Amino acid sequence: MEHDLSPSTLADLRRPRPYPAVSVLTPTHRRERDNSQDRVRLRNMLADAKKQLEADPAVTRDHRFDVADQLDRALAEVDLTYAEDGLVIFAAPGEHQVWSLARTVPERVVLSDTFLTRNLVAAEAAERPFWVLTVAADRATLWNGGADRVTEEHIGGFPMIRSRENFDAERQERIGDMPSTFRDEGTRRFLREVDTALGAMLRRYPRPLYITGEQAALSLLDEVGSVAGEAVHIPHGGLAHATADAVRQTIRPVIDEEDRKNVDTVSRELESARGHKTFAAGVDEVWQNASDGRIRLLAVEENYRVTVRDGAGDHLEPAESGDLDAREDIVDEIVERCLDTGADVRFVPDGALGDAQGIAGILRY
């Protein structure tokens, strides 16, 4: 199952497909006692998708069989043992993908000429993904982080391991050259290679970066490269060979402190926007301004969800989940629209926005 939404991956998902491009969304549960019905629900959703394929006169016979087969293949790939809060399946002629999301999604089947991506975009933004580089003189490991998880990544040449021939202590002793580990030219060359590989990763998958290691390692990496200067340094040795849990426990206090500062900053900026008449609050007002590309900063409480319908004129009205004209993921739609128009999107703890009703924005003009 897929987890990480890079800019290039999102661009590929949004490109037009031969009709029909099918998107199947269903909520899932992390705890085993709650997810016993998830597979039944998923099978029912896929059965509904196949019925829609059969009933749609615009779907050719070949494409109907092809996409139905892709849906079956996608189902075979789903492992609900590792379920998060939502599952999205994309299927089109000749292809399928399965995405696990750390954010709930509404039950939905959509046939179109593009995949429905807004729930992926919102989940990625809410997850606040980051990279962690743990570095030592002989090893550099890259970790994929977000929310409460940290996992080791085997991508872009990582983990990078320095060969033992560079640590020939006998040779160094014979020639009378025993520099400290982080003044050794071999170490400098190794960390320069790490910096180059890391820079390539950040260009492909841009996100905040944290680097841990001995202070000498952090200083040398900063000296020989260009990437470390933009990262948050966490002086802590021994993590290049550590477990994911050890890395998570080391960086968690730093992330939590940054989150607290983020909430304070957002609160101050929103209060200032009130005084300058560039403040929008509530799903209807924010949606209208987001549709016009006027949102500069969007703040959303982490678990804020609301179901609406298009009312009279250009306004949204409250609706019940399951209504035929209901828009159950309007918050995700707003998040995607704001990101597409260059807004800064911040997720904050529930209740942090006070009387703003779960969602607020600062306008560009």
Side-chain angles (χ1 to χ4, degrees):
M1 294 191 288
E2 304 287 344
H3 291 82
D4 297 316
L5 189 67
S6 69
S8 60
T9 300
L10 179 59
D12 181 67
L13 287 174
R14 285 176 166 173
R15 66 176 171 81
R17 260 77 178 173
Y19 188 84
V22 179
S23 303
V24 179
L25 290 70
T26 182
T28 52
H29 300 83
R30 293 173 183 260
R31 292 180 297 183
E32 186 174 355
R33 72 182 188 197
D34 295 327
N35 69 17
S36 59
Q37 295 300 311
D38 285 352
R39 182 161 291 277
V40 174
R41 176 185 292 169
L42 177 57
R43 288 184 180 277
N44 289 340
M45 294 295 292
L46 294 180
D48 181 41
K50 292 178 181 179
K51 288 180 181 178
Q52 292 192 36
L53 289 172
E54 293 175 1
D56 191 336
V59 179
T60 66
R61 182 177 182 274
D62 287 346
H63 280 177
R64 183 171 71 250
F65 282 116
D66 188 343
V67 175
D69 179 61
Q70 296 296 333
L71 290 171
D72 289 338
R73 294 186 185 188
L75 177 62
E77 294 178 10
V78 173
D79 186 352
L80 292 174
T81 304
Y82 304 102
E84 295 178 276
D85 300 308
L87 189 72
V88 178
I89 290 177
F90 295 135
E95 62 174 321
H96 69 270
Q97 293 187 32
V98 180
W99 288 81
S100 178
L101 307 183
R103 182 174 170 85
T104 190
V105 298
E107 285 191 348
R108 175 171 293 175
V109 175
V110 178
L111 274 63
S112 183
D113 58 357
T114 58
F115 294 136
L116 184 67
T117 61
R118 59 174 171 260
N119 305 96
L120 270 68
V121 171
E124 181 81 358
E127 180 82 347
R128 298 191 292 277
F130 54 85
W131 294 119
V132 180
L133 178 74
T134 55
V135 64
D138 62 336
R139 182 183 177 94
T141 308
L142 187 67
W143 305 84
N144 182 354
D148 290 324
R149 64 171 178 82
V150 174
T151 56
E152 184 178 348
E153 280 290 339
H154 293 261
I155 188 174
F158 289 97
M160 298 182 69
I161 302 171
R162 184 178 171 193
S163 63
R164 286 194 171 276
E165 64 187 34
N166 292 318
F167 291 95
D168 189 346
E170 286 189 28
R171 174 185 174 279
Q172 291 177 335
E173 194 169 347
R174 283 198 304 272
I175 63 176
D177 181 20
M178 286 291 288
S180 70
T181 302
F182 293 103
R183 285 191 288 114
D184 174 61
E185 182 55 36
T187 303
R188 295 175 66 88
R189 184 165 53 250
F190 173 67
L191 293 187
R192 198 175 294 119
E193 293 170 355
V194 170
D195 179 83
T196 299
L198 187 60
M201 278 293 301
L202 290 174
R203 286 190 294 274
R204 186 178 178 188
Y205 302 101
R207 59 174 67 173
L209 171 66
Y210 300 85
I211 302 179
T212 75
E214 294 180 33
Q215 184 58 60
L218 299 179
S219 298
L220 180 56
L221 186 61
D222 201 9
E223 176 187 335
V224 302
S226 59
V227 175
E230 303 296 323
V232 176
H233 289 196
I234 304 175
H236 191 295
L239 293 178
H241 300 268
T243 64
D245 188 58
V247 174
R248 184 185 63 80
Q249 291 186 38
T250 299
I251 67 168
R252 192 70 256 171
V254 179
I255 301 289
D256 289 344
E257 178 60 26
E258 289 195 339
D259 285 346
R260 285 190 288 271
K261 291 179 180 178
N262 173 58
V263 173
D264 292 341
T265 299
V266 169
S267 297
R268 287 195 301 270
E269 291 191 40
L270 289 173
E271 191 59 35
S272 176
R274 288 179 187 266
H276 291 90
K277 310 298 184 186
T278 56
F279 177 79
V283 67
D284 182 49
E285 187 176 354
V286 170
W287 171 71
Q288 292 181 56
N289 284 286
S291 298
D292 294 336
R294 295 184 61 198
I295 302 290
R296 176 177 66 79
L297 182 147
L298 178 73
V300 186
E301 292 183 359
E302 290 171 344
N303 294 301
Y304 177 63
R305 315 290 293 184
V306 63
T307 301
V308 298
R309 66 164 57 89
D310 293 323
D314 296 324
H315 293 276
L316 301 176
E317 297 178 349
E320 295 296 325
S321 178
D323 288 353
L324 291 177
D325 57 350
R327 299 171 70 171
E328 298 189 39
D329 53 356
I330 188 66
V331 175
D332 287 1
E333 185 176 330
I334 291 170
V335 169
E336 182 184 48
R337 176 61 180 164
C338 286
L339 288 170
D340 284 347
T341 54
D344 183 9
V345 175
R346 310 278 187 91
F347 282 83
V348 298
D350 294 345
L353 298 182
D355 62 358
Q357 304 169 55
I359 189 167
I362 299 175
L363 307 182
R364 291 190 170 99
Y365 55 90

